[in-house]
Amino acid sequence: MIGTIRGGGVTALPLLILLLLPVPVGAEALTATLEDGTEFARFDVAEGQEWCVLWNHSVQGFPVSDCYQNQAGHMVLVHAHLPDFAAGLDHIPGRGRQVSDGQGGYFILDINEPVPGDAYILRPGAGPVNHRLQVGDAIVSLSAVATHQRVRIALERNEGQ
């Protein structure tokens, strides 16, 4: 996995490390881009690899996640974790299957819903909501860079492949 972060006071990974890491064969790029076209996050995401969009519930404050997978070069929503049945959080019958997380919340598994156009727009919330993009161990705060702005999250073919 290669990740770069630009702008917004977020520290970039050292260029030397990026040059030494191999690019996965058949990898697509997961990007976060502002409306003006400024890209501020990019990760190589190999076939079968997952990533998540995380945020803290605006009322209860607990973390919520929607997780996606690169399936044959397409962005597919595969599962979610909702630690509570708080406002705005529930399972839609017929859209995946709900199972307990054993701690009062639940997972929605087997959603397997392709994202139209392999991209969507998110307006990251301010402060404690802290929308984040997580790929492996790397986490980028979308809120720190683009609070209340239109951010396009997309899975795209890497240039030169």
Side-chain angles (χ1 to χ4, degrees):
M1 164 194 51
I2 295 177
T4 57
I5 307 162
R6 299 179 187 94
V10 179
T11 304
L13 294 174
L15 182 58
L16 179 60
I17 292 172
L18 295 176
L19 294 174
L20 296 175
L21 293 174
V23 175
V25 175
E28 278 70 33
L30 178 66
T31 61
T33 309
L34 298 174
E35 193 168 15
D36 67 4
T38 302
E39 181 181 283
F40 66 91
R42 172 178 286 266
F43 296 92
D44 284 340
V45 180
E47 165 72 26
Q49 187 174 354
E50 291 188 10
W51 66 90
C52 297
V53 174
L54 314 169
W55 70 96
N56 301 321
H57 189 272
S58 61
V59 177
Q60 299 297 324
F62 51 66
V64 179
S65 64
D66 285 327
C67 298
Y68 302 82
Q69 185 177 49
N70 176 352
Q71 293 184 6
H74 295 285
M75 182 187 296
V76 178
L77 177 62
V78 290
H79 59 88
H81 180 241
L82 302 99
D84 194 308
F85 290 92
L89 302 179
D90 65 4
H91 172 236
I92 300 169
R95 186 174 183 242
R97 62 187 173 86
Q98 178 181 318
V99 297
S100 172
D101 69 0
Q103 299 178 24
Y106 57 100
F107 293 101
I108 303 173
L109 305 175
D110 304 323
I111 299 172
N112 299 323
E113 182 177 286
V115 174
D118 300 313
Y120 64 94
I121 301 296
L122 174 72
R123 286 188 186 269
V129 172
N130 191 23
H131 280 90
R132 301 166 313 278
L133 184 59
Q134 179 178 24
V135 181
D137 292 332
I139 299 176
V140 175
S141 174
L142 305 173
S143 294
V145 177
T147 300
H148 300 302
Q149 297 181 53
R150 291 173 50 95
V151 173
R152 181 176 185 264
I153 298 172
L155 184 65
E156 304 169 341
R157 273 309 269 172
N158 261 324
E159 295 176 21
Q161 291 191 22

